[in-house]
Amino acid sequence: QVQVVESGGGLVQPGGSLRLSCAASGSIFNIMGWYRQAPGKQRELVAFITSADSTNYADSVKGRFTISGDNAKNTVYLQMNSLKPEDTAVYYCNAARGNLGGSRSYWGQGTQVTVSS
């Protein structure tokens, strides 16, 4: 069975940093990414990384967040710096073979990130 497990969320003050981790197992994945969902808003793609180390970011986090990965461990990380209150959300990891979020993708349970003073 496939498992996707996130960790690293928590409460941080504006301007602070957090590092999220996502470990996927039970299949082969060629792309993994981070989504987030804030209260009252749709889930949005934050960043993704492919097995070839190609990366992409949402405009709202570009320059502040960095996604990285370890192919051998099927693990990805999201380093979040200069956090803002609007970054508050549940962050979900998605691991896929093919298209991120597609029929051959798997979701983690999510980890809460709260940015507040």
Side-chain angles (χ1 to χ4, degrees):
Q1 65 282 352
V2 173
Q3 287 189 307
V4 180
V5 181
E6 306 102 329
S7 62
L11 175 64
V12 65
Q13 295 192 175
S17 298
L18 285 172
R19 189 186 191 225
L20 306 183
S21 298
C22 174
S25 63
S27 188
I28 302 298
F29 311 101
N30 66 285
I31 184 169
M32 295 178 67
W34 288 96
Y35 291 74
R36 67 185 182 187
Q37 188 164 24
K41 295 187 177 181
Q42 294 183 326
R43 187 173 298 188
E44 64 174 343
L45 179 63
V46 176
F48 68 78
I49 185 168
T50 71
S51 58
D53 287 332
S54 177
T55 60
N56 203 6
Y57 300 88
D59 288 342
S60 59
V61 306
K62 198 172 185 68
R64 299 187 297 121
F65 292 10
T66 302
I67 190 168
S68 60
D70 184 336
N71 287 331
K73 297 180 179 179
N74 281 337
T75 300
V76 296
Y77 307 93
L78 187 68
Q79 179 66 46
M80 306 186 295
N81 298 325
S82 301
L83 283 161
K84 305 174 181 179
E86 51 262 45
D87 294 318
T88 296
V90 178
Y91 284 70
Y92 297 91
C93 182
N94 185 258
R97 187 176 186 181
N99 296 322
L100 198 65
S103 62
R104 297 170 72 182
S105 73
Y106 306 89
W107 293 96
Q109 295 179 351
T111 185
Q112 177 72 48
V113 172
T114 302
V115 184
S116 177
S117 60

